[in-house]
């Protein structure tokens, strides 16, 4: 048997094996043309809005200018440029079903909170067929909904702001969430759900109260987010000073935007 012919390279069973040599599926590894391959499209961001062009070219220096003139943010890359230290927290992933003629269609709904623990927080909700797709979409929507958080003091104005400036309330569905200023060193006296939102917003000390069906986590998160957004919805004496208005960025850089638009057409 020592002089027996060597086995066929195509399978080991006379050419009828399962392996098909170099033509098999094994050649499609991760380094080849697999579906998981991603080009560096995020690095080559091409803005499609006026605000995106101004941000990419350095005409708008901070996100406070965007908030000052209430400019709509339609591209999440704008937030990535201004707030590179954002952290995301997946609050909940729940399956939702829809009855169709073919049966039940199940999708996944993701709630994602995002913040830099320094006065900016956002909340995104996305539904998709796959969990990873839902989380990715919720992160993008959370970046587009980032809002500024106004912080204040409980009694003496010593050190950095550490709590909410006044009692604020948010409501979503049957859930009511109320934020109450607390002395320095108190910490976050809150349930796990609002505690995550408040810590991402940069609030260190706060009392909270809640009413309603708080086990509905989606409404609980939204009520807390609405309460935080209400911190900038009222005027206090320290904001009574006369404001020196400036031109809107779209008006200030209108000539630049026209030149950029003509250049892109050519």
């Amino acid at each position: 048997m020592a002089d027996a012919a060597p086995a066929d390279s195509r399978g080991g069973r006379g050419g009828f094996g399962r392996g098909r040599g170099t033509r098999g599926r094994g050649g499609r590894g991760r380094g080849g043309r697999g579906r998981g391959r991603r080009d560096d499209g995020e690095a080559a961001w091409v803005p499609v809005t006026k605000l995106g062009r101004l941000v990419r070219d350095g005409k708008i220096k901070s996100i406070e200018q965007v908030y000052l003139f209430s400019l709509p943010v339609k591209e999440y890359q704008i937030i990535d440029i201004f707030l590179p230290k954002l952290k995301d927290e997946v609050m909940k992933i729940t399956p939702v079903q829809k009855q169709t003629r073919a049966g039940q269609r199940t999708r996944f709904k993701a709630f994602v909170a995002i913040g830099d623990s320094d006065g900016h927080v956002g909340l995104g909700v996305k539904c998709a067929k796959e969990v990873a797709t839902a989380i990715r979409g919720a992160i993008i929507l959370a970046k587009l909904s980032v809002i500024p958080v106004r912080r204040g003091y409980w009694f003496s104005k010593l050190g950095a702001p550490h709590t909410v400036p006044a009692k604020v309330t948010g409501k979503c569905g049957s859930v009511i969430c109320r934020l109450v200023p607390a002395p320095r060193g108190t910490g976050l006296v809150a349930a796990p759900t609002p505690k995550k939102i408040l810590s991402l917003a940069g609030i260190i000390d706060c009392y909270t109260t809640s009413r309603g069906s708080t086990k509905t986590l989606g409404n609980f998160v939204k009520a807390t987010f609405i309460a935080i957004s209400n911190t900038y919805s009222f005027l206090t004496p320290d904001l009574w000073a006369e404001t020196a208005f400036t031109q809107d960025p779209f008006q200030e850089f209108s000539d630049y935007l026209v030149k950029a638009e003509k250049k892109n057409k050519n």
Side-chain angles (χ1 to χ4, degrees), residues 39-234:
D39 298 326
D40 52 351
E42 295 182 0
W45 170 48
V46 179
V48 295
T49 60
K50 292 181 180 179
L51 179 61
R53 282 185 230 127
L54 293 177
V55 170
R56 182 195 60 180
D57 298 335
K59 302 297 181 182
I60 297 180
K61 303 297 183 181
S62 65
I63 197 171
E64 276 66 34
Q65 287 182 270
V66 178
Y67 294 141
L68 179 62
F69 295 99
S70 300
L71 303 178
V73 179
K74 301 293 184 182
E75 297 171 282
Y76 71 92
Q77 292 89 347
I78 297 173
I79 305 299
D80 289 336
I81 292 175
F82 287 138
L83 304 173
K85 296 182 181 179
L86 285 176
K87 298 179 181 178
D88 55 87
E89 178 82 25
V90 179
M91 305 300 296
K92 186 178 182 181
I93 299 174
T94 178
V96 292
Q97 292 181 333
K98 177 183 178 182
Q99 187 70 36
T100 61
R101 288 187 297 176
Q104 291 180 341
R105 186 189 68 180
T106 303
R107 296 198 297 173
F108 298 95
K109 192 175 185 180
F111 295 85
V112 175
I114 197 168
D116 61 352
S117 300
D118 192 23
H120 299 94
V121 68
L123 178 66
V125 183
K126 180 66 176 178
C127 194
K129 292 181 180 179
E130 298 181 2
V131 175
T133 309
I135 293 175
R136 198 179 309 118
I139 290 175
I140 291 175
L141 293 177
K143 289 180 180 179
L144 295 178
S145 67
V146 167
I147 58 171
V149 181
R150 185 179 176 191
R151 293 170 290 177
Y153 300 89
W154 178 75
F155 183 71
S156 59
K157 296 183 179 180
L158 298 175
H162 62 98
T163 185
V164 290
K167 297 177 182 179
V168 289
T169 305
K171 185 176 187 299
C172 182
S174 67
V175 182
I176 299 175
C177 182
R178 193 180 193 205
L179 308 181
V180 181
R184 193 180 296 274
T186 302
L188 296 176
V189 184
T193 298
K195 181 178 285 188
K196 294 178 183 177
I197 302 287
L198 293 171
S199 62
L200 288 173
I203 296 174
I204 303 172
D205 308 299
C206 186
Y207 293 122
T208 64
T209 62
S210 58
R211 295 179 61 188
S213 182
T214 54
K215 68 178 181 180
T216 309
L217 189 140
N219 288 351
F220 201 7
V221 170
K222 291 179 182 177
T224 308
F225 183 72
I226 293 170
I228 293 174
S229 66
N230 287 338
T231 55
Y232 264 114
S233 64
F234 59 91

